[in-house]
Each structure stands twice: as C-alpha cells, then as structure tokens.
Amino acid sequence: MKLHHEENYWWDLFSWKELELLINLRPLMSKDRVVLLHSKKDHEWVLDTWSTQDSIPASVIKEVLETGFLYIKEASRFTRKINELAKEIEKEYGYQTDAHIYATLNPDLPHPLGAHIDDNDNVIVQCEGATNWKVWDKMDVIPDSRKDWVNLDLDKPPTLDITLLPGDAVWIPKYHPHLATSEDDRLSVSFPSRGSKDDVFQDREWVKLSTM
C-alpha cells in the first residue's frame, strides 16, 4: 500500500442516519465491539430481563458522541456498501480487512491517541464533516512497547497534510505516524488490513431476500 489520497472516492459510503440505526440496535453495541473514548464519566448500567449480552444502551452512546469519541470495530458487514468496499480492499491487497467506525459530535476534542502509528495498513473514508490528516514518513525504529506508539512527538513536517471532505479517502501504510484533527462533526470509516494471505477471509456474500 502506498501513501496517497483521493477525492470523491466513495461519497455515499455511510451516513449519520445509518449510524443512528445501528446504535439503536443494542445487541450490536457490545462492549467487545464499541470503545468509548474521552467520555466525561464512567458509565454503568443494569441489563434488563430480556437482554442476553452486556451491550451498551443507546443513551450512553449518545452522551459519548456529544462529549467524547465513539469507535466501533468489527463493522465490515454492518452495511452492504461497507462490506463491498472491504471486499474490494481485500481483493486488491490480499489481506483480511475490517471496518472501524469513528464518530464525534465534539469537533473541539483532540484525537485521543494524538499522532500515532498502527501495525496495519489503513484506508480511511470521510463520510460526514471534515477532518484534517497529517501523515509522516515511516518510522525508522518501531518502539517495542505499544504505549510508545501513541502521542508521538514528531519534529519533522508531515509528508501529507490534507483535509478530507465527505467521500474523500486517504491510504496510510502501517508504521506511518498520522494525526487526525476534526474540523467539524466527524463520521468516518477506517478499513485496516493485516494478517496472512493464507488466513481465512470474512464471508462477503450479501444475502438478498425476495418476497412473493
């Protein structure tokens, strides 16, 4: 994967309306899948009689969206379009690909990881709002501890400094430091790819049901 960006890559990939539907489907919002970042308080809730898993109430997610940062992983089959793009990326690069949804209604909030690196290649698609991305050249030495992968102090200017609008995308290879700064309410989907080309891939068949 080469570092680059593209305008109008996939302008209608995902929307606030689709996120609204998902966060109200409480069984999908499990604590294993949803990460609540920069929330102002520790959230606790009691499962009702009919709930069968420790999933997060929509009211809690709403509060986090307004005051913090929402990150949803294992989302590559949440919609047909997201599944299709993940399939295309897997076909092009040959590695297993997930989808991570990032959202905040608080654009003044700094990114919780600051400038950081990942151990996977990423394609990030801006879905709503505007986000400035700064990307630096690959690090010469990768720190042994993951805690040293975040909030990096970088003294060189970035190789790429762009603002993504809805539909735009940026390709960030692994171990390239990058920093995302929200300029508006942000909704984006990141497609991380890694693993072995011999590993099992996600079943990408999208089932369509016809009615008589």
Side-chain angles (χ1 to χ4, degrees):
M1 179 179 287
K2 297 176 64 176
L3 173 63
H4 67 286
H5 80 282
E6 186 173 328
E7 296 179 353
N8 296 317
Y9 178 66
W10 199 314
W11 67 270
D12 62 344
L13 179 67
F14 193 60
S15 67
W16 287 117
K17 199 67 178 177
E18 289 171 302
L19 180 61
E20 174 187 304
L21 174 63
L22 292 175
I23 64 178
N24 282 294
L25 293 173
R26 182 169 174 175
L28 288 180
M29 300 294 102
S30 67
K31 292 178 69 175
D32 290 336
R33 175 178 287 126
V34 179
V35 181
L36 310 177
L37 299 171
H38 274 205
S39 180
K40 289 184 176 180
K41 58 184 179 181
D42 294 328
H43 297 281
E44 295 182 359
W45 57 89
V46 179
L47 290 177
D48 61 88
T49 301
W50 297 103
S51 295
T52 57
Q53 60 176 311
D54 197 2
S55 52
I56 303 174
S59 59
V60 171
I61 294 178
K62 177 177 180 288
E63 189 275 332
V64 172
L65 276 171
E66 293 174 345
T67 63
F69 208 92
L70 181 68
Y71 159 42
I72 307 174
K73 55 188 177 180
E74 197 185 345
S76 70
R77 290 190 56 86
F78 271 16
T79 72
R80 180 187 60 79
K81 291 177 182 177
I82 291 177
N83 181 70
E84 187 62 28
L85 182 49
K87 180 180 178 179
E88 289 184 12
I89 294 172
E90 287 177 335
K91 182 178 180 180
E92 181 172 358
Y93 297 105
Y95 293 101
Q96 295 79 9
T97 299
D98 194 16
H100 297 170
I101 297 170
Y102 294 85
T104 183
L105 298 175
N106 184 359
D108 295 329
L109 189 69
H111 194 288
L113 303 181
H116 64 282
I117 59 171
D118 296 315
D119 59 354
N120 45 254
D121 298 325
N122 275 288
V123 179
I124 298 103
V125 180
Q126 185 77 23
C127 299
E128 302 275 8
T131 303
N132 176 262
W133 285 89
K134 292 179 174 62
V135 188
W136 287 261
D137 290 332
K138 182 179 179 180
M139 293 184 68
D140 295 327
V141 179
I142 308 303
D144 293 331
S145 175
R146 283 181 174 266
K147 70 179 182 180
D148 296 324
W149 290 16
V150 302
N151 296 310
L152 299 171
D153 186 11
L154 304 166
D155 55 5
K156 295 182 180 179
T159 304
L160 191 66
D161 186 346
I162 57 167
T163 294
L164 298 186
L165 301 176
D168 297 345
V170 61
W171 281 252
I172 304 178
K174 62 183 179 181
Y175 303 132
H176 282 245
H178 50 280
L179 172 65
T181 303
S182 300
E183 298 182 355
D184 199 351
D185 294 347
R186 176 187 173 189
L187 177 61
S188 63
V189 181
S190 173
F191 294 85
S193 298
R194 69 180 178 189
S196 168
K197 293 187 177 182
D198 295 328
D199 287 346
V200 176
F201 280 73
Q202 174 73 263
D203 182 352
R204 294 293 174 199
E205 179 181 1
W206 193 261
V207 176
K208 296 181 179 180
L209 301 180
S210 59
T211 57
M212 301 298 294

